[in-house]
Amino acid sequence: SSGINAEYGDGGEKQHVTVTFEQGDPPTVTKIRIQFQGGFSARQCDVTSSPGGEVLTTFHPIDSNITQEFSVAMAAPTSSLTLSFSQFTDFYGRLIVYSLEFHGS
C-alpha cells in the first residue's frame, strides 16, 4: 500500500482529484509534477488543502504530453490536497492524467 487514496471527479465544467495521504505524519508538499495526454489537458488548476480549503496555488499547464512541474507554497503539512481543473483543451471537457507526483517533506 502506498498510503495515498485518490478520489476523482467525473466531468463537468470543473474536474477534480483529491489525494489523501494516509501513512505517518502529513507531508508539506513543495512541488507537483503532472503529465497529461496532449489534447486532453486543462489550462488552469487550483490546488487547495484540507482541512480548510485554502487555495495554495493556481497553475496554468500547457497542452502537451511532457511532464510539467509546479511549485506549491505550503505553510504547514496537510493530510489532503485537491486539484481542481478547468478550462479544458478538449471540446468535450475530457481530461487524461497519465502521471501525478507530489514532492516535499
Side-chain angles (χ1 to χ4, degrees):
S1 172
S2 66
I4 297 176
N5 276 338
E7 170 194 312
Y8 304 89
D10 62 355
E13 288 185 19
K14 281 197 169 200
Q15 294 186 39
H16 71 276
V17 175
T18 299
V19 178
T20 302
F21 305 99
E22 295 183 321
Q23 295 179 347
D25 294 329
T28 300
V29 175
T30 57
K31 190 182 325 178
I32 295 174
R33 291 174 47 96
I34 191 166
Q35 181 184 16
F36 298 98
Q37 177 174 320
F40 297 90
S41 63
R43 292 185 185 98
Q44 181 170 322
C45 179
D46 296 321
V47 180
T48 57
S49 64
S50 296
E54 172 191 0
V55 176
L56 302 172
T57 191
T58 297
F59 59 84
H60 301 277
I62 58 172
D63 184 16
S64 171
N65 65 342
I66 63 168
T67 300
Q68 301 174 59
E69 186 173 289
F70 302 96
S71 296
V72 179
M74 290 184 65
T78 186
S79 60
S80 180
L81 287 176
T82 298
L83 282 72
S84 298
F85 299 98
S86 60
Q87 300 177 16
F88 304 105
T89 58
D90 176 65
F91 177 77
Y92 297 104
R94 295 174 291 190
L95 180 72
I96 299 174
V97 177
Y98 283 139
S99 175
L100 179 60
E101 301 173 10
F102 299 91
H103 297 269
S105 57

